[in-house]
């Protein structure tokens, strides 16, 4: 890939995915480190662009890079901090992230949705996060590398959990 | 849960357009350049350190007025070959991790990462003892004829001291490495294994 081509693809991706990836990174990174992860994601996208083979759409490919960067992000987090997932006080974390979001989220539903998604396991958060971005089961299956049916199964399992958290009611589905 | 209900969630989620992003395209590009330059500086520093050490050794040998002794030459060759082999294979393992294709489907990526992550530490624990033995051997060979006028007891102390220094230094280095590994890589690998298990459960 020529440098001009790389720059062009990167600019297009940035225009299209800027907000999606920012939301994804804020959701996936621990302890308000979303901006650090976001920066790493864009750097990785830039560096990996010459290796894009075109076996999926550019958006799907960039989302794969974001998901895989988020999966590996804990390595650098571990180097900088002694905290592990188990050590984290989840309640404080959600409170902090929610507080950081207060300026951005102005409706109760969004607030509850964000808090409830944040309470999920990181791996489940990623799947739900992608689906909330209106990515189809097929898109998610291409990103994660499992079948469409399996994505459906995962989401089917997670949606009632989310609903229960958001509405505060017992699951009826 | 109805489709409409979920659609409301999706809309609510996406309406959060994250506000004005603090990082525009220009800022991202300049950060990437900074990151690129930082990587280059780190690589340059590593290469310079190795080069300086080898140059220093060569300089020390060249400034000797007496002709180069065979023991010194053998020791130097052994140190150089041993270091080059150990370091290049170690860099190879580190490079393998850096070259992981982030554009692959995540499940494939996770499996490759789980295989690549412990490779560096495994290499060190497996090959460090042999590397140390050869380094100690080389250092002791170099010292054989270096101080012919010293008393035998002093010479033995120099040999023992050098060998102990090498082994203790390596032990300390290994402890630090293992600590970093246990803090950053082990939890990550456990996390990746759990994710792999959760995402592929029911797939087969």
């Amino acid at each position: 890939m020529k440098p001009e081509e790389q720059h062009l693809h990167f600019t297009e991706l940035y225009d299209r995915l800027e907000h999606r990836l920012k939301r994804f990174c804020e959701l996936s990174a621990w302890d308000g480190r979303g901006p650090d992860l976001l920066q790493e994601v864009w750097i990785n996208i830039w560096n990996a662009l010459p290796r894009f083979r075109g076996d999926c759409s550019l958006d799907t490919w960039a989302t794969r890079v974001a998901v895989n960067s988020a999966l590996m992000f804990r390595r650098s987090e571990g180097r900088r901090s002694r905290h592990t997932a188990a050590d984290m006080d989840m309640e404080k974390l959600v409170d902090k992230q929610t507080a950081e979001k207060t300026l951005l989220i102005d409706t109760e539903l969004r607030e509850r949705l964000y808090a409830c998604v944040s309470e999920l396991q990181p791996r489940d958060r990623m799947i739900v996060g992608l689906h909330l971005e209106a990515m189809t089961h097929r898109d998610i299956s291409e990103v994660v590398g499992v079948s469409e049916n399996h994505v459906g199964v995962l989401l089917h399992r997670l949606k009632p959990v989310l609903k229960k958290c958001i509405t505060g009611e017992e699951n009826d589905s | 849960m109805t489709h409409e209900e979920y659609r409301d969630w999706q809309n609510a989620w996406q309406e959060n357009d994250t506000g004005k992003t603090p990082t525009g395209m220009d800022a991202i590009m300049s950060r990437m350049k900074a990151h690129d330059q930082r990587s280059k500086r780190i690589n340059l520093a590593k290469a310079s350190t190795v080069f300086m050490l080898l140059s220093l050794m060569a300089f020390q040998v060249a400034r000797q007025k007496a002709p180069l002794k065979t023991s010194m030459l053998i020791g130097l060759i052994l140190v150089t070959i041993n270091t080059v082999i150990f370091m290049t294979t170690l860099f190879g393992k580190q490079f393998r991790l850096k070259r992981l294709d982030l554009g692959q489907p995540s499940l494939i990526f996770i499996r490759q990462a789980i295989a690549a992550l412990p490779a560096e530490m495994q290499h060190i624990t497996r090959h460090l003892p042999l590397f140390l033995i050869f380094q100690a051997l080389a250092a002791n060979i170099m010292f054989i004829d270096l101080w012919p006028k010293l008393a035998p007891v002093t010479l033995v102390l120099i040999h023992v001291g050098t060998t102990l220094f090498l082994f203790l230094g390596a032990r300390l280095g290994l402890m630090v490495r293992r600590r970093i590994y246990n803090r950053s890589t082990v939890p990550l690998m456990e996390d990746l294994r759990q994710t792999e298990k959760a995402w592929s459960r029911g797939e087969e």
Side-chain angles (χ1 to χ4, degrees):
Chain A
M1 188 181 284
K2 292 174 187 167
E4 312 87 62
E5 217 177 329
Q6 184 182 7
H7 196 276
L8 184 71
H9 281 319
F10 186 79
T11 314
E12 284 171 3
L13 276 173
Y14 189 80
D15 288 343
R16 278 201 305 270
L17 301 181
E18 179 190 4
H19 295 295
R20 181 202 278 184
L21 293 188
K22 188 158 191 274
R23 281 189 292 262
F24 177 80
C25 290
E26 281 176 357
L27 187 70
S28 305
W30 290 102
D31 206 14
R33 292 201 48 214
D36 293 340
L37 174 59
L38 182 66
Q39 187 182 327
E40 195 161 311
V41 164
W42 283 115
I43 288 170
N44 287 340
I45 287 175
W46 172 263
N47 288 334
L49 255 177
R51 290 159 77 185
F52 173 60
R53 293 181 298 271
D55 57 347
C56 59
S57 75
L58 199 58
D59 288 11
T60 301
W61 175 85
T63 311
R64 281 180 185 170
V65 175
V67 171
N68 294 336
S69 302
L71 287 167
M72 295 297 278
F73 190 61
R74 280 201 53 195
R75 189 163 194 245
S76 53
E77 284 188 316
R79 279 186 181 156
R80 287 170 199 152
S81 151
R82 280 166 190 263
H83 292 298
T84 63
D87 297 332
M88 299 291 266
D89 182 340
M90 203 58 206
E91 220 168 293
K92 277 184 195 166
L93 174 68
V94 173
D95 282 351
K96 187 179 176 189
Q97 288 183 333
T98 309
E100 283 171 355
K101 282 259 155 186
T102 310
L103 288 173
L104 306 173
I105 302 173
D106 53 4
T107 69
E108 199 188 333
L109 175 61
R110 266 181 276 171
E111 213 167 280
R112 290 183 75 89
L113 188 57
Y114 188 84
C116 289
V117 175
S118 298
E119 281 178 6
L120 296 172
Q121 286 279 330
R123 52 184 159 270
D124 295 336
R125 250 187 267 169
M126 286 180 185
I127 302 275
V128 171
L130 295 177
H131 200 234
L132 286 170
E133 293 292 346
M135 285 182 79
T136 62
H137 289 193
R138 188 195 170 97
D139 292 338
I140 298 172
S141 79
E142 283 187 1
V143 169
V144 174
V146 296
S147 67
E148 276 180 68
N149 280 346
H150 193 55
V151 172
V153 170
L154 289 171
L155 286 166
H156 185 73
R157 183 171 55 80
L158 293 168
K159 278 181 188 172
V161 178
L162 263 187
K163 183 173 181 180
K164 192 175 161 185
C165 172
I166 289 170
T167 59
E169 291 167 6
E170 285 301 312
N171 165 31
D172 58 357
S173 59
Chain B
M1 149 178 267
T2 61
H3 264 303
E4 288 70 32
E5 207 175 355
Y6 195 72
R7 189 59 55 92
D8 286 345
W9 288 7
Q10 288 180 317
N11 289 337
W13 186 264
Q14 289 162 51
E15 271 168 31
N16 176 16
D17 66 358
T18 70
K20 291 285 171 202
T21 44
T23 49
M25 180 70 188
D26 291 339
I28 287 276
M29 292 302 281
S30 73
R31 280 182 185 179
M32 279 192 316
K33 275 181 195 159
H35 178 267
D36 196 36
Q37 281 169 354
R38 192 172 150 264
S39 305
K40 278 180 186 160
R41 275 200 298 270
I42 290 170
N43 289 335
L44 191 70
K46 280 182 185 173
S48 305
T49 309
V50 174
F51 180 75
M52 267 170 55
L53 283 173
L54 291 175
S55 305
L56 195 69
M57 270 166 48
F59 176 71
Q60 288 293 341
V61 171
R63 69 194 276 252
Q64 299 282 329
K65 283 171 189 161
L68 190 61
K69 288 176 179 163
T70 317
S71 57
M72 178 62 87
L73 192 66
I74 292 171
L76 281 173
I77 291 171
L78 205 56
V79 164
T80 311
I81 292 174
N82 197 30
T83 307
V84 167
I85 291 174
F86 186 76
M87 295 312 281
T88 46
T89 46
L90 184 65
F91 287 157
K93 303 285 176 192
Q94 291 173 343
F95 193 63
R96 185 182 157 202
L97 192 62
K98 283 201 175 131
R99 292 292 296 173
L100 280 179
D101 185 3
L102 287 158
Q104 293 183 96
S106 300
L107 216 49
I108 299 174
F109 176 82
I110 287 172
R111 285 168 188 156
Q112 290 184 352
I114 290 172
L117 276 166
E120 186 186 339
M121 196 62 198
Q122 281 169 357
H123 177 81
I124 293 173
T125 45
R126 246 180 237 159
H127 301 290
L128 189 69
L130 197 67
F131 170 75
L132 276 174
I133 288 169
F134 275 104
Q135 290 299 82
L137 187 73
N140 283 299
I141 290 173
M142 279 195 280
F143 291 166
I144 284 175
D145 291 327
L146 203 59
W147 300 288
K149 288 173 189 169
L150 280 182
V153 179
T154 318
L155 274 174
V156 169
L157 281 177
I158 288 175
H159 281 286
V160 172
T162 308
T163 309
L164 273 179
F165 178 77
L166 273 172
F167 278 86
L168 287 177
R171 176 100 191 130
L172 191 71
L174 191 63
M175 264 173 61
V176 172
R177 278 258 181 184
R178 204 184 287 279
R179 214 168 151 185
I180 295 170
Y181 178 80
N182 287 339
R183 213 171 65 200
S184 62
T185 310
V186 171
L188 171 67
M189 275 173 39
E190 185 50 35
D191 221 35
L192 290 175
R193 280 198 192 103
Q194 295 288 338
T195 304
E196 198 255 341
K197 205 168 142 188
W199 283 358
S200 59
R201 192 181 294 146
E203 267 288 271
E204 289 82 18

